[in-house]
Amino acid sequence: MTGDDTRLAATVVMTRPGPTGPEVLMLRRSAGSPAFPGMWVFPGGTVSEADRASDGDALRAAAVREVEEECGLVLAADDLEPLSEWLPPEQARARFRTSFYRAAYVAGEVRTDDFEVVEHAWITAAGALARHAEGAWDFGPPTWVTLAAMATEDSHPAREFHSHVVGSEPTILAWAGDERHPDRPGPAGARHRITLGPRPWVYLRCNAHEPAAPEPKEAAA
């Protein structure tokens, strides 16, 4: 169930073999796009009434439709493997409960509309993160964390990412299992968070008894 201010959306992380490892399809939204203007994203969008009226799952229907609309590739609902679910913090201006799916590349030419989506790239996860770190590309946290998991060959055992702001200057988002998560906290010292400070961003996930990488210091209140 979602609240009145939360919309459902679906995103597809599409991969193919590349000369230096798996590549992922990424799209750059136009500066005038109503969602994530100027950012690099995976194909996806919100669930429509037509998706809800379809015979199958509305989220999968939205994922298939958005991929075809945004980049011209035709998937089947059965091609989609559930990956993760994301919900922004309550402070977010627009809240989308987004289901991420994984899919293998299907034959066809990637075609963008040059209006809402103006560019595409097949790139390794590590390559995309490097472009973000140097300031050439902008991502939202779900995109960044998904790429980080791919770059480290993490199978994404954390399926739910319901975000809470637990720090500011820089912003820190925490998910279930972090010691500071308000609804599903872990034990003292447990980390499941991202620090959105100077690039590269820092993502930590560890149990209380495991050593963690040094964290950026928060600014004094």
Side-chain angles (χ1 to χ4, degrees):
M1 298 294 293
T2 62
D4 293 340
D5 61 342
T6 305
R7 301 177 64 185
L8 295 178
T11 289
V12 179
V13 182
M14 187 177 298
T15 59
R16 72 177 188 184
T20 61
E23 297 175 335
V24 62
L25 176 62
M26 303 204 68
L27 311 177
R28 182 169 67 86
R29 294 196 179 277
S30 70
S33 173
F36 311 109
M39 288 189 177
W40 285 86
V41 299
F42 306 119
T46 57
V47 173
S48 69
E49 290 304 317
D51 299 326
R52 296 180 191 277
S54 65
D55 293 336
D57 180 276
L59 284 165
R60 289 175 178 267
V64 169
R65 175 182 54 77
E66 288 285 352
V67 167
E68 184 170 9
E69 290 178 358
E70 293 190 341
C71 55
L73 299 177
V74 180
L75 292 171
D78 290 343
D79 294 332
L80 304 173
E81 176 188 351
L83 183 61
S84 55
E85 181 183 90
W86 294 81
L87 183 66
E90 293 181 356
Q91 296 91 331
R93 287 181 296 176
R95 302 187 78 217
F96 297 88
R97 185 186 299 272
T98 305
S99 294
F100 276 50
Y101 296 94
R102 180 164 31 205
Y105 169 63
V106 293
E109 179 185 359
V110 176
R111 300 186 307 275
T112 60
D113 61 13
D114 294 328
F115 175 69
E116 186 173 0
V117 176
V118 295
E119 189 176 354
H120 81 276
W122 286 100
I123 190 169
T124 64
L129 291 171
R131 294 190 183 186
H132 179 270
E134 66 191 18
W137 287 13
D138 288 327
F139 301 145
T143 303
W144 194 98
V145 172
T146 300
L147 289 167
M150 295 173 65
T152 58
E153 299 183 351
D154 188 333
S155 60
H156 241 343
R159 293 281 184 168
E160 294 184 350
F161 292 82
H162 296 186
S163 306
H164 289 267
V165 177
V166 298
S168 60
E169 298 183 17
T171 298
I172 300 174
L173 300 180
W175 299 292
D178 190 277
E179 66 171 359
R180 293 170 64 182
H181 194 278
D183 299 327
R184 298 170 61 187
R191 297 286 187 270
H192 189 199
R193 62 178 63 177
I194 189 170
T195 300
L196 308 177
R199 302 184 186 190
W201 290 347
V202 177
Y203 174 57
L204 297 174
R205 188 178 69 209
C206 64
N207 296 324
H209 64 276
E210 295 176 342
E215 295 183 62
K217 294 182 179 179
E218 296 181 54

